[in-house]
Amino acid sequence: MANWPDGRRVAVCLSWDVDGESAQYVRFPDRARRQLSELHQRLYGPQVGVWKVLDLLDRYGLPATFYIPAYTARMHPEVVRAVVRAGHPLGLHGYMHETLDTLTPEEEERVLVRSQEVLGDLAGYRPTLYRSPSWELNRHTPELLVRHGVRSDSSLMDDERPYLLETPAGPLVEIPIQWLLDDAEHWNHTRANRDKAIADPDAVFRLWAGEFEGYHQAGGCYVLTLHPFISGRWVYMQTLERLVRHILGFPGVWWTTLEEVTAWAERQSDLPRRASPPPEPVGGIRP
Ligand SMILES: [Zn+2]
């Protein structure tokens, strides 16, 4: 097992997906055309939430990674500028937050190329980090990403440390994530899912802290995925700050970004290499 830089025991990546209102247009186009409510709830992210996030990072001197759909970046260029000014890396996250399993291969490539152009123009450099909308990847996606100069993806859940995903175009660094470490699973609350209770912030703190303690022991790469329109609310920001302070009490923490973890992974000679797609079942899928 390769070691983290300077003998540190665990890597911690705070990451925010600044989705804004983008996903609503592709998931529920009729509703988005007729109704304001959910669009405005999601606008809270780029308008209010993300500024609280940047303030928290500034107060603790912490780095983070921001994945932004190109449409959201175009609608809120001040967010892109503020993220770049603060020195946090940007990543690609679709154009309208299109879930990849809804696109043809041609549409998927067009979305990728266009989002690279838009984010590149606004940021002043070409982002090479990727996280798929809703963490959905097609079988051909890793190869497409490599062909377009993307260096890492952060959408798969089969490990707790980075590894290399083999593709016909070359390897892609994969930095794994998990639903458990995503604020949306606990706190995203809309009219459409009102039957699901809002999770108790203390319970979410225990889940996130418990996972962190395991990652710290095992030497993992702890990636928290957050959304300004969800956990930009005060009580959730307080929960996140409590988690930051908790982690600050542990020795050997590498507070880092997915950009730095990607660069670190590219320098390693002994990272696990995994096939993409995974091998077909021996003897086929029928018993
Ligand atoms: Zn997203």
Side-chain angles (χ1 to χ4, degrees):
M1 182 183 281
N3 292 319
W4 298 117
D6 303 324
R8 277 169 286 195
R9 294 182 60 163
V10 64
V12 172
C13 295
L14 304 176
S15 65
W16 275 270
D17 297 357
V18 190
D19 295 343
E21 68 274 39
S22 59
Q24 191 69 1
Y25 286 107
V26 286
R27 277 190 205 151
F28 308 105
D30 292 344
R31 228 181 281 169
R33 241 191 322 274
R34 285 183 288 112
Q35 296 171 320
L36 291 176
S37 307
E38 186 56 23
L39 290 176
H40 279 252
Q41 165 156 261
R42 287 167 179 269
L43 267 173
Y44 179 88
Q47 288 182 177
V48 181
V50 76
W51 306 102
K52 294 187 195 174
V53 168
L54 288 167
D55 176 66
L56 175 81
L57 295 169
D58 185 51
R59 281 190 285 117
Y60 284 87
L62 297 176
T65 311
F66 291 80
Y67 292 90
I68 310 185
Y71 170 84
T72 306
R74 285 181 70 182
M75 297 301 283
H76 308 279
E78 69 284 359
V79 172
V80 176
R81 284 195 291 271
V83 166
V84 171
R85 201 165 47 237
H88 305 300
L90 284 171
L92 305 159
H93 196 47
Y95 190 86
M96 291 298 292
H97 205 277
E98 308 85 350
T99 313
L100 298 188
D101 59 353
T102 64
L103 302 178
T104 66
E106 295 72 29
E107 288 168 340
E108 185 179 338
E109 184 165 27
R110 170 87 185 133
V111 162
L112 176 62
V113 168
R114 198 57 195 122
S115 53
Q116 284 176 316
E117 288 168 359
V118 169
L119 235 58
D121 286 350
L122 289 167
Y125 71 94
R126 210 173 167 78
T128 55
L129 312 176
Y130 182 80
R131 170 175 289 159
S132 63
S134 307
W135 289 332
E136 200 57 59
L137 289 183
N138 289 319
R139 281 183 169 232
H140 57 257
T141 305
E143 179 183 354
L144 180 74
L145 294 173
V146 173
R147 290 201 190 286
H148 285 278
V150 173
R151 294 156 58 225
S152 70
D153 171 60
S154 181
S155 313
L156 297 175
M157 307 190 188
D158 57 331
D159 209 331
E160 297 174 1
R161 293 173 58 87
Y163 62 90
L164 297 178
L165 199 54
E166 298 280 18
T167 85
L172 177 70
V173 174
E174 178 61 38
I175 304 172
I177 43 68
Q178 230 291 323
W179 294 115
L180 178 63
L181 299 175
D182 177 347
D183 61 356
E185 298 314 298
H186 308 292
W187 294 325
N188 190 18
H189 195 75
T190 71
R191 189 171 157 228
N193 75 355
R194 277 172 74 194
D195 293 345
K196 186 179 155 214
I198 294 173
D200 175 0
D202 288 342
V204 175
F205 172 82
R206 287 196 300 277
L207 289 173
W208 288 352
E211 276 296 284
F212 168 75
E213 285 153 30
Y215 276 66
H216 184 263
Q217 278 208 336
C221 180
Y222 181 85
V223 180
L224 206 57
T225 300
L226 305 162
H227 300 78
F229 84 93
I230 298 169
S231 56
R233 299 280 164 180
W234 291 113
V235 64
Y236 304 143
M237 290 300 296
Q238 289 156 8
T239 306
L240 178 62
E241 185 162 353
R242 187 176 159 206
L243 182 73
V244 164
R245 295 167 77 98
H246 181 72
I247 294 175
L248 283 168
F250 285 75
V253 174
W254 183 30
W255 291 94
T256 188
T257 65
L258 283 97
E259 167 70 39
E260 287 181 341
V261 170
T262 300
W264 171 87
E266 288 168 340
R267 292 194 301 271
Q268 307 308 304
S269 55
D270 55 353
L271 279 196
R273 288 176 173 264
R274 308 257 163 79
S276 172
E280 299 292 332
V282 175
I285 60 169
R286 299 199 186 282

